[in-house]
């Protein structure tokens, strides 16, 4: 990494990195956020961030976004920025082509001090940011607005939320924005961070040439450092809201933040990470206990804001059981203070950390450019240590060998104190809430040790499996040299598709599926079938119960998850090279030796029941449930969850169904992708997959006759108090499934996405982030759904729906603009260039092609198929499928209140 500082104070960080190849991540970092705003500028740091995309010296008006989109960079998904209290950071991931890179640096230079701040653009952006602020009108943000001043000790941070105030956003003069830009966007508060497949020397020359001319303002303002004063006082706050679905108690103990600039401070950060890991495991184990008095609890040490860290404790309690829930969960903290951690716990957590670092060092040549950039940004902003992976590995190895229980106990004493403590209770309306004295008495009553802290868990069985499998063997092999894919058939009839790759040095991913799923069960068994895999996978497998399984997996870099979906059942997983045998053994154990833990089942059902009791308070959930029911013809498989459905879940039947689904694996197909040699992995596959039972009888899914609605539906729901409308416009019908049609429909999606941003956001200032989604299904019947989704002012939803549908009609009747088609093609090509270097992409692609019975080599024609797109083919496809006679128009509006 090369770093330097120009004579004007401008800092740069440059690093060559080719993960991904031919890509570079550019960042402009400004040590200026909302905390620096004057009273007449509240919200303008964030507003300035927006204006940087609305016109600069070299890219006036919307030319910046237009240029980047033409070169395959997507607005929002790729080009982005954020404004915090103390900083503003712009991110620009682009192709590393010389011309695009040069223009990318020019964009950073313009962002640094050449935004045009056109008055017309400012006025249009007011509406956009007000709509962004509207998205924060939900129950969580309403609560946060009330407790933040308490949490931040009524400091400046309590009155400088980056989003600003409605009054200021509507009426501030241009001069106030210009003043913020002039005062704080200056070279001695800025840095560029550039990481990617670049010539470092050449980029450094460009930075020096482009940014040396920047000048700091005469009589510049001193950049103040604001803090949150720790007064030593304790605070107690209770809040209620009609949309709060459960009662939450938080205990936040504030502490001076620890720096992270030296090896000693890094060592303490490792101690903190170990502390948090052990405590998380304790609470996870506690939540599995029978007759638990709370729904969820957790605690950790972490950053709060600015100069303050905190020990945060949070418990979600059952209705009417605040006392029991707080007492039971806090008892674990009291036990920790009294008895500390156990050596076994520390040893396990050290092994987990060490294993993670071993994996990181093995993959050190595959660290992404974005990861490096984030590290250098943190160094510039906070002076956080950035030692590099080799030094970090050496430090972690050294410190893990030295750290002892006394250091964790010291951390407990340091952070869990009785001063600087805020107690915040968030509850539904009409909840009986105690006063501070009563609440603290509940904390004091939890002074006895918990069972987990006071006892040693029974020794886990030595063997995961109850019975070793009898290995099968491979009986045939087909090699596709062009695609690097080998297809093999096992003696039990299971097909295995293998694609060795070099994308990562130590990663193997796999998945397997066969037809069937929940589709083969009727209404009586459906709920048990739908939930069987989740319940089984939470209960352990083979000889191991839930806690034994945690210990078994503790220091292993692997994960396995069985599933039963609507049309199939199967299993997926991944591991490092050394753990692939264990991962496949675990996969076999889940499928052949499943179990259900009665306590786990009881707890899951109890939590689900309580969640359902609060579901009718969630406006978004009600909307989605209603839309899903319409599209499912109100079939029981598509209607909303309910207590009656929950009562249909039978523990014994869940286990029976799980066993049924995997008793005949005749049609199972497995895919393996990653850093393996075929000859090395073959014996493991033969043992753990070749031994799965098959009968020779084919498995089938059942088409249960669920069809998309054939007529238009208008749905209006009035629920919630937030002054926000949610609109979902959904086109759907049967679909002629082919590679060409899939690309055309995806082009329609992206072209509409571009136009929704241009029309609804930029031209009408009516929304912040409109989205267009596309879903394509081949089975059980080939269908599509295309959804246009946005949030807006309840008074403007009708006009914005009309504008959105106008854009659909233009596309359908007139076809797309050539420039938008070219943007889609460029974006798709750039996205595919990077995605094909990922194991995850190949696993999803191969498994998806197999499940849809599509050719495995279809990807090779993708680029040519893209270039075959024409204005005519897109218009004809839009005309064929975007039929308003089948449009579902769903609108969520706030309740009318007196």
């Amino acid at each position: 990494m090369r770093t330097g500082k120009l004579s004007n104070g401008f800092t740069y960080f440059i690093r060559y990195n080719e993960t991904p190849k031919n890509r570079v991540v550019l960042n402009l970092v400004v040590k200026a956020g909302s905390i620096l705003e004057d009273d007449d500028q509240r919200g303008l740091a964030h507003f300035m961030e927006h204006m940087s995309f609305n016109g600069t010296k070299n890219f006036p008006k919307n030319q910046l976004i237009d240029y980047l989109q033409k070169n395959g960079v997507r607005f929002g998904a790729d080009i982005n920025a954020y404004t915090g209290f103390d900083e503003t950071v712009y991110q620009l991931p682009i192709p590393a082509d010389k011309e695009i890179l040069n223009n990318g640096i020019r964009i950073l230079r313009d962002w640094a001090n050449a935004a045009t701040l056109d008055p017309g653009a400012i006025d249009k952006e007011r509406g956009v940011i007000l709509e962004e602020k509207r998205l924060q009108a939900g129950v969580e943000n309403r609560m946060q607005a009330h407790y933040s001043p308490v949490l931040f000790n009524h400091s400046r941070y309590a009155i400088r939320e980056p989003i600003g105030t409605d009054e200021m956003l509507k009426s501030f003069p241009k001069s106030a924005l210009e003043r913020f830009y002039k005062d704080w966007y200056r070279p001695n508060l800025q840095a560029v961070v550039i990481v990617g497949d670049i010539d470092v020397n050449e980029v450094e020359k460009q930075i020096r040439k482009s940014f040396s001319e920047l000048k700091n303002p005469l009589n510049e303002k001193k950049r103040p450092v604001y803090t949150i004063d720790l007064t030593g006082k304790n605070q107690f706050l209770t809040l209620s809201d009609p949309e709060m679905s459960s009662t939450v108690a938080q205990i936040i103990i504030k502490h001076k933040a620890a720096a992270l600039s030296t090896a000693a401070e890094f060592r303490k950060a490792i101690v903190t990470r170990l502390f948090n890991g052990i405590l998380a495991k304790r609470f996870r184990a506690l939540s599995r206990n029978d007759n638990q008095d709370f729904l969820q609890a957790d605690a950790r040490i972490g950053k709060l804001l600015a100069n303050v860290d905190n020990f945060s404790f949070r418990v979600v309690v059952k209705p009417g059981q605040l006392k029991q829930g707080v007492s039971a969960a806090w008892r674990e903290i009291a036990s920790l203070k009294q008895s500390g951690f156990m050596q076994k716990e520390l040893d396990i957590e050290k092994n987990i950390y060490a294993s993670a670092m071993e994996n990181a060092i093995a993959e050190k040549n595959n660290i992404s450019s974005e990861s490096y950039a984030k590290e250098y940004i943190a160094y510039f902003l906070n002076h956080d240590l950035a030692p590099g992976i080799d030094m970090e590995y050496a430090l972690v190895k050294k410190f893990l060998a030295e750290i002892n229980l006394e250091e964790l106990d010291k951390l407990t004493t340091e952070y869990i104190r009785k001063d600087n403590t805020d107690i915040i209770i968030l509850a539904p309306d009409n909840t009986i809430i105690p006063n501070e004295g009563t609440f603290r008495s509940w904390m004091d009553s939890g002074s006895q040790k918990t069972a987990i802290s006071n006892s040693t868990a029974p020794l886990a069985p030595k063997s995961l499996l109850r019975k070793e499998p009898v290995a099968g063997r491979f009986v045939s092999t087909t090699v596709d040299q062009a695609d690097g894919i080998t297809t093999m058939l096992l003696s039990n009839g299971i097909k295995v598709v293998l694609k060795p790759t070099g994308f990562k040095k130590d990663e193997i991913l796999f998945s397997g599926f066969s037809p069937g799923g929940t589709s083969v069960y009727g209404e009586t068994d459906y709920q048990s079938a739908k939930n069987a895999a989740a319940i089984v996978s939470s209960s352990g497998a083979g000889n191991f119960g839930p806690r034994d399984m945690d210990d078994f997996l503790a220091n292993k870099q692997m994960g396995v998850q069985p599933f039963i979906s609507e049309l199939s059942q199967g299993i997926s997983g991944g591991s490092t090279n050394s753990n692939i045998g264990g991962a496949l053994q675990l996969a076999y154990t889940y499928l052949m030796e499943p179990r259900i833990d009665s306590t786990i089942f009881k707890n899951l059902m109890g939590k689900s029941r309580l969640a359902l009791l609060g579901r009718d308070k969630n406006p978004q959930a009600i909307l989605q449930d209603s839309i899903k029911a319409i599209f499912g013809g109100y079939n029981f498989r598509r209607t909303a969850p309910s207590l009656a459905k929950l009562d249909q879940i039978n523990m014994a039947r869940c286990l029976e169904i799980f066993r049924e689904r995997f008793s005949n694996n005749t049609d199972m197909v497995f895919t393996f992708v990653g850093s393996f040699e075929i000859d090395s992995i073959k014996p493991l596959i033969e043992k753990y997959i070749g031994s799965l039972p098959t009968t020779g009888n084919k498995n089938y899914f059942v088409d249960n006759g669920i069809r998309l609605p054939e007529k238009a539906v208008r749905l209006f729901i009035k629920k919630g108090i937030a002054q926000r409308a949610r609109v979902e416009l959904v086109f759907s019908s049967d679909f002629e499934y082919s590679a060409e049609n899939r690309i055309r429909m995806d082009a329609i999606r992206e072209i509409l996405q571009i136009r929704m941003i241009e029309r609804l956001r930029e031209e009408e200032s009516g929304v912040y982030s409109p989205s267009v989604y596309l879903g394509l299904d081949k089975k059980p019947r080939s269908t599509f759904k295309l959804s246009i989704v946005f949030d807006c002012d309840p008074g403007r939803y009708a006009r914005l729906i009309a504008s959105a549908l106008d854009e659909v009609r233009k596309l359908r009747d007139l076809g797309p603009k050539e420039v938008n088609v070219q943007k889609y093609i460029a974006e798709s090509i750039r996205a595919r260039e990077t995605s094909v270097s990922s194991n995850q992409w190949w696993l999803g692609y191969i498994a998806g092609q197999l499940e849809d019975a599509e050719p495995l080599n279809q990807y090779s024609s993708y680029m040519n198929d893209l270039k075959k797109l024409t204005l005519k083919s897109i218009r004809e496809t839009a005309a064929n499928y975007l039929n308003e006679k089948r449009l579902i128009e769903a609108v969520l509006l706030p309740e009318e209140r007196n």
Side-chain angles (χ1 to χ4, degrees), residues 473 475 489-496 665-668 690 694:
R473 58 187 177 84
V475 295
L489 188 66
L490 284 158
S491 53
N492 60 357
I494 292 177
K495 184 164 74 172
V496 180
N665 299 283
T666 298
D667 306 282
M668 187 77 83
T694 56

Side-chain angles (χ1 to χ4, degrees), residues 477-495:
T477 302
T478 303
V479 179
D480 185 335
Q481 297 285 359
D483 296 325
I485 294 174
T486 298
T487 302
M488 307 179 78
L489 188 66
L490 284 158
S491 53
N492 60 357
I494 292 177
K495 184 164 74 172

